Amino acid sequence: MFLSFRQHVPEIGSSSPTTRKRMKRYHIMLFPTRVHIITWNVGSATPPDDITSLLGLNVGDGNTDMYIIGLQEVNSMINKRLKDVLFTDQWSEVCMERLSPFGYVLVTSQRMQGLLLMVFAKYFHLPFLRGVQTETTRTGLGGYWGNKGGVSARMSVFGHTICFLNCHLPAHMENSEQRMEDFECILQQQQFEGQAATGVLDHDVVFWFGDLNFRIDDLDMQVVKSAIDNNKFPMLWEKDQLNMAKDSETVLEGFQEGPLKFAPTYKFDVGTNTYDTSGKKRKPAWTDRILWHLRATAPAGAALSAGKRGSISGLTSGTKVTQHCYRSHMEYTVSDHKPVSSIFTLQFPYKVDIPLVVLIVEDEWNSTADAIAKFKLAPNYSRSSWDWIGLYKVGFKHQKDYVGYVWAKQEEADFHRQEHQVTFTEEELPKGSGDFILGYYSNNMSTIVGVTEPFQIQLPTSGLDISSSDSSDFSSEDDSTIVLMKMRSRSPSPCKNKHRKNHSDSHTHPRSQSRSRSGSPAQATVAGLNVTGASLSGPSAAAENESTGCAAEGSSSLVSPPGKKDKNTEDSGV
């Protein structure tokens, strides 16, 4: 599904049309949603200089709607983890840097020691990605250690539920049964709150991927290498542990996978395309996999399928998943694994959806007097006094990467108004000119629920100072409950640190609708092993006094700016 206005969204850096007042409207058309999934065991390596080909940006047609990137064995040594929680981890940074110029925004990310899951989407899809939640399950050392396990992100995409599950299962040839037990454990333990789809398999579509560690049974090393050299992969498929398990393991019922037409992706000598020459001489295997699952809506055996095995699948409800490619990327040699990617299109039954908030803005802001945003709320939208509207430069990386913001202030008289208005003050506006969008951030939903098309700002350059937050201004929360937020002196977060039970959203916001830059950063606080530091001023400082809550375990702080959530609230996972 694409938004109809997608056809005329200006390219990055292009100028807006001539000035005219217009309402940014959205409609859903019945087109496929294109999803690009990547899994890679990076073996504690630093990111390569260029991941363009891995992302398909060198050959892409620009129609990819979402990127899902699952990594395993991200460096989690204590010194590296402490650095990662203070600043952006290197892998998240390189992905954001590469994707943001193409209009992709980090929707959510989840980290559990070496496991990292990132979800990116085109910025104009953000209002239609709702109910974002993340979960983690540790299976290492009997469930006490997160070197093995699964991290997931679930959401509603245009009204249809999708779950992405990144796993790292036990290694070694003899542990096939243990791998199945761990996978079953992950499915049982991962439960989502406040959603119709409470378990992983309750979602309309599930994508399961990662270093699943299944090996090739029975055949010796020379036979396997000879089959690889002669491109005789089918004889290896028959001995692949995961393929064999599909015939006997109930938990795998309904999971599908495309044909493995690429060479096994493990194990290579680092820096080469040569299979293991060490003393252990591990047998090559397809350890890195991407599978999918459609929720059963018809009696067993009634599901429809067409085409080659694993290429097209559908249910009687009309949901279809089509796999366009399934491949490895041999050019990357920083790890002993090769990355694997797959591109899918998801076609859902027609479902009309409109944004919860429609923003109205001029096509150009030529003076501070033009810096006005009007908005209309859908009848079913639950508004909060802590909602805010962010001003983003086109090409922003995540939902906290704003140039400025104003509170979506709620007065008593607003309850009877159909249209509301906010004004950006001079200090909230950028210096010079450029293309920007506005995004309405919902405090209750922890996500952007309305965006505009790009518009142009052309302001006098004298006396204005730009203070844009950057992507290094968020942290991946440490799996061992250490949370450290890099302090900021110029761009405090608009969100607050509070429990909702202590604040009524029906009250008028106690502070000005624009933030103050004069406040000094708050000092980090220490409570046991939990360390939370955030720079707060103006409204944020006022809200800080209301709570001592912290972000959800293992998640970064992009969607929910620092100190806003506690563990019991629905969290976007970022």
Side-chain angles (χ1 to χ4, degrees):
M1 291 184 185
F2 298 149
L3 302 180
S4 60
F5 80 89
R6 174 182 187 157
Q7 304 300 324
H8 54 82
V9 172
E11 294 297 325
I12 302 301
S14 65
S15 299
S16 301
T18 56
T19 304
R20 59 184 174 83
K21 191 173 183 179
R22 63 187 178 187
M23 178 181 292
K24 313 301 183 182
R25 298 183 182 275
Y26 305 78
H27 302 283
I28 300 301
M29 300 176 65
L30 188 60
F31 289 109
T33 296
R34 195 176 180 93
V35 178
H36 189 138
I37 298 178
I38 296 168
T39 179
W40 192 6
N41 183 320
V42 299
S44 299
T46 57
D49 295 333
D50 189 1
I51 59 170
T52 300
S53 63
L54 179 59
L55 297 170
L57 297 174
N58 54 338
V59 294
D61 53 11
N63 286 332
T64 297
D65 296 287
M66 301 179 71
Y67 278 93
I68 316 299
I69 302 172
L71 306 179
Q72 307 86 40
E73 290 193 23
V74 175
N75 192 335
S76 57
M77 297 295 289
I78 185 63
N79 61 331
K80 187 65 174 64
R81 286 309 311 276
L82 288 174
K83 183 179 179 181
D84 286 351
V85 298
L86 282 168
F87 307 98
T88 312
D89 72 88
Q90 289 177 298
W91 285 97
S92 296
E93 182 65 31
V94 73
C95 291
M96 286 189 290
E97 288 285 352
R98 201 68 194 90
L99 288 171
S100 61
F102 292 86
Y104 296 98
V105 177
L106 182 61
V107 177
T108 187
S109 74
Q110 183 69 36
R111 174 93 180 258
M112 184 182 74
Q113 286 182 216
L115 275 169
L116 176 61
L117 175 62
M118 294 173 279
V119 177
F120 292 85
K122 286 283 193 180
Y123 78 88
F124 46 78
H125 289 326
L126 293 179
F128 306 98
L129 307 181
R130 303 175 186 173
V132 181
Q133 292 187 61
T134 60
E135 274 292 341
T136 64
T137 302
R138 309 178 188 196
T139 59
L141 295 179
Y144 289 99
W145 192 240
N147 65 320
K148 297 291 190 294
V151 296
S152 65
R154 64 86 54 206
M155 63 199 68
S156 170
V157 180
F158 299 103
H160 300 270
T161 56
I162 302 180
C163 185
F164 304 101
L165 177 60
N166 174 25
C167 290
H168 193 184
L169 301 181
H172 306 306
M173 179 73 69
E174 65 275 12
N175 285 332
S176 181
E177 289 187 10
Q178 185 63 50
R179 286 187 273 276
M180 294 310 312
E181 290 178 9
D182 281 14
F183 179 52
E184 202 162 359
C185 175
I186 291 168
L187 293 180
Q188 290 174 353
Q189 292 191 23
Q190 299 220 345
Q191 299 293 318
F192 303 94
E193 298 179 359
Q195 305 292 337
T198 57
V200 171
L201 297 183
D202 294 327
H203 292 78
D204 295 329
V205 183
V206 177
F207 289 100
W208 173 39
F209 49 92
D211 180 0
L212 308 185
N213 254 322
F214 289 98
R215 308 304 172 97
I216 296 174
D217 263 341
D218 299 334
L219 305 177
D220 62 34
M221 173 75 81
Q222 295 306 317
V223 173
V224 172
K225 284 190 173 182
S226 175
I228 295 171
D229 292 339
N230 293 286
N231 205 31
K232 294 182 178 180
F233 298 139
M235 68 174 291
L236 303 180
W237 298 345
E238 297 175 0
K239 298 298 181 179
D240 174 76
Q241 291 178 337
L242 180 55
N243 282 336
M244 292 189 293
K246 289 176 185 176
D247 297 329
S248 58
E249 298 288 345
T250 305
V251 70
L252 293 179
E253 184 176 349
F255 278 95
Q256 302 182 61
E257 183 181 20
L260 298 165
K261 294 182 178 180
F262 50 90
T265 54
Y266 172 86
K267 170 180 172 60
F268 292 88
D269 293 339
V270 174
T272 75
N273 287 327
T274 303
Y275 286 107
D276 188 17
T277 61
S278 70
K280 294 184 178 180
K281 288 186 171 56
R282 293 178 181 86
K283 188 163 47 174
W286 285 291
T287 58
D288 311 282
R289 313 286 278 269
I290 301 172
L291 297 88
W292 71 95
H293 178 279
L294 290 169
R295 181 171 58 88
T297 58
L304 303 178
S305 61
K308 295 181 180 179
R309 174 184 177 271
S311 60
I312 300 177
S313 60
L315 297 179
T316 53
S317 65
T319 302
K320 287 186 178 180
V321 174
T322 303
Q323 186 179 51
H324 297 285
C325 72
Y326 189 25
R327 56 163 297 194
S328 64
H329 298 261
M330 295 292 288
E331 66 270 30
Y332 292 97
T333 62
V334 297
S335 168
D336 56 352
H337 290 250
K338 300 298 181 182
V340 171
S341 69
S342 185
I343 297 175
F344 299 89
T345 54
L346 281 60
Q347 190 165 15
F348 300 114
Y350 182 78
K351 190 166 187 176
V352 176
D353 206 346
I354 60 173
L356 294 172
V357 176
V358 175
L359 291 162
I360 307 165
V361 66
E362 295 281 357
D363 281 339
E364 291 183 2
W365 289 358
N366 296 311
S367 68
T368 54
D370 296 330
I372 296 173
K374 297 181 179 181
F375 59 94
K376 294 184 177 181
L377 308 175
N380 61 332
Y381 176 63
S382 177
R383 187 178 179 185
S384 166
S385 294
W386 298 99
D387 289 357
W388 47 274
I389 297 174
L391 176 65
Y392 299 91
K393 190 169 181 62
V394 170
F396 68 104
K397 298 176 181 178
H398 50 77
Q399 299 182 59
K400 194 183 168 190
D401 190 19
Y402 49 79
V403 173
Y405 69 87
V406 296
W407 294 104
K409 195 175 178 182
Q410 185 174 14
E411 305 286 357
E412 291 184 8
D414 288 349
F415 292 105
H416 304 291
R417 293 178 182 170
Q418 291 186 344
E419 186 174 279
H420 311 275
Q421 177 176 306
V422 295
T423 302
F424 283 81
T425 61
E426 184 174 300
E427 68 174 3
E428 299 297 330
L429 300 176
K431 181 173 68 174
S433 63
D435 292 323
F436 295 83
I437 71 164
L438 293 179
Y440 187 105
Y441 184 92
S442 167
N443 175 72
N444 292 335
M445 299 180 69
S446 300
T447 189
I448 289 176
V449 294
V451 297
T452 66
E453 295 177 29
F455 63 96
Q456 194 168 73
I457 296 180
Q458 293 182 335
L459 299 177
T461 58
S462 60
L464 292 178
D465 178 32
I466 186 169
S467 176
S468 173
S469 60
D470 61 44
S471 63
S472 65
D473 196 33
F474 83 94
S475 69
S476 296
E477 181 180 342
D478 194 287
D479 174 68
S480 58
T481 72
I482 298 176
V483 186
L484 294 173
M485 298 301 303
K486 178 184 174 185
M487 294 186 179
R488 299 167 57 191
S489 59
R490 297 301 302 263
S491 298
S493 166
C495 287
K496 75 288 175 197
N497 199 0
K498 69 183 185 68
H499 292 292
R500 291 198 179 93
K501 65 181 180 180
N502 294 332
H503 178 78
S504 172
D505 287 340
S506 63
H507 295 168
T508 302
H509 196 279
R511 297 284 181 175
S512 165
Q513 62 184 13
S514 63
R515 75 174 189 261
S516 168
R517 295 177 189 264
S518 60
S520 53
Q523 297 298 316
T525 59
V526 180
L529 291 177
N530 296 303
V531 183
T532 305
S535 172
L536 299 172
S537 65
S540 299
E544 165 68 15
N545 295 328
E546 298 189 33
S547 173
T548 57
C550 63
E553 178 182 357
S555 62
S556 71
S557 60
L558 303 185
V559 176
S560 303
K564 187 182 73 63
K565 286 287 192 180
D566 66 31
K567 188 64 178 175
N568 296 322
T569 57
E570 286 186 21
D571 194 87
S572 64
V574 179

